[in-house]
Amino acid sequence: IDYPVKAVFMGNSITDNWALMDSVFFAEHRFVGRGISGQTSAEMLVRFRQDVIGLSPEAVVIMAGTNDLAQNNGYIALENILGNIASMCELAKFNGIRVVLCSVLPCDRFSWRPEIKPAAAVAELNTMLRQYAAEHKIPYVDYHAAFDNGSGGLDARFSQDGCHPTLYGYTLMEPMVVEGINKALRTKQARYTTPTPNE
């Protein structure tokens, strides 16, 4: 990447899909998507130096935890998920990169792990993330509160599989994350967000 990066979006398939489905939103702001499908918080932490610090962005947007709760690499305690995410936040701060911390999106089922019912664990992890963000004065983007259908899931208009947003869902997330980035960078910049299509 041969231009100054404003923000790196660090995450899993939800982040990866976002950068692919709405590439204009990323290009307009010098945002870079560094989502890798299926990855847990531990796997993101391992590549954080290369994929975030190495790009010298002004900010990093961290959204992690879905695949931990799906037990993609086996069971992991909520405290350990939080620990991995906290380590990413600390690495960023140490390197002068502002942090935006995002909630895990509502999810009441995993298409690839139908035996797991994750809604309650998602909510519990988000409570921990919100508290961590408040204690460390990190802007927190609460997608969960905005999209929760009342039973901890995503309605069909936001997601086809109950976990990954549609383009419609992403366009509603964009102004929220832009606000978080503005808070982190202490700017009031009006940033482009993709017009929300009709459902």
Side-chain angles (χ1 to χ4, degrees):
I1 293 170
D2 53 1
Y3 53 84
V5 176
K6 181 66 72 177
V8 174
F9 283 54
M10 185 66 168
N12 49 41
S13 56
I14 294 169
T15 298
D16 189 31
N17 292 352
W18 192 352
L20 290 170
M21 289 168 79
D22 205 355
S23 56
V24 174
F25 172 67
F26 281 76
E28 284 279 328
H29 299 298
R30 308 195 313 272
F31 295 162
V32 174
R34 282 293 182 264
I36 296 183
S37 181
Q39 281 207 331
T40 61
S41 58
E43 290 169 309
M44 290 181 212
L45 178 56
V46 167
R47 66 182 172 89
F48 196 84
R49 186 169 299 281
Q50 175 188 349
D51 277 359
V52 179
I53 298 166
L55 299 180
S56 303
E58 293 180 39
V60 60
V61 177
I62 299 172
M63 182 165 42
T66 299
N67 292 313
D68 298 77
L69 298 173
Q71 299 182 26
N72 281 18
N73 292 337
Y75 172 78
I76 175 172
L78 294 181
E79 291 76 13
N80 293 343
I81 305 172
L82 178 67
N84 290 332
I85 295 171
S87 293
M88 287 189 258
C89 294
E90 288 166 12
L91 273 171
K93 282 187 165 178
F94 181 79
N95 286 278
I97 300 166
R98 304 265 183 193
V99 178
V100 179
L101 191 54
C102 301
S103 75
V104 177
L105 279 158
C107 183
D108 57 6
R109 67 185 193 276
F110 299 122
S111 56
W112 66 101
R113 291 299 296 273
E115 70 278 14
I116 295 176
K117 302 286 182 270
V122 169
E124 195 177 342
L125 176 59
N126 282 333
T127 298
M128 295 163 73
L129 291 171
R130 190 187 311 111
Q131 287 172 343
Y132 176 85
E135 285 165 15
H136 296 271
K137 298 183 169 51
I138 295 171
Y140 180 71
V141 181
D142 197 345
Y143 296 131
H144 193 277
F147 290 95
D148 182 358
N149 63 6
S151 59
L154 279 172
D155 280 341
R157 61 197 174 122
F158 303 131
S159 174
Q160 290 174 334
D161 67 355
C163 183
H164 298 85
T166 56
L167 179 60
Y168 176 73
Y170 285 125
T171 62
L172 298 174
M173 291 163 66
E174 285 172 14
M176 298 175 65
V177 77
V178 158
E179 184 185 342
I181 291 167
N182 273 337
K183 275 185 190 163
L185 297 178
R186 298 181 172 84
T187 54
K188 290 188 166 58
Q189 191 174 339
R191 300 183 194 273
Y192 168 86
T193 55
T194 304
T196 300
N198 295 326
E199 295 172 43

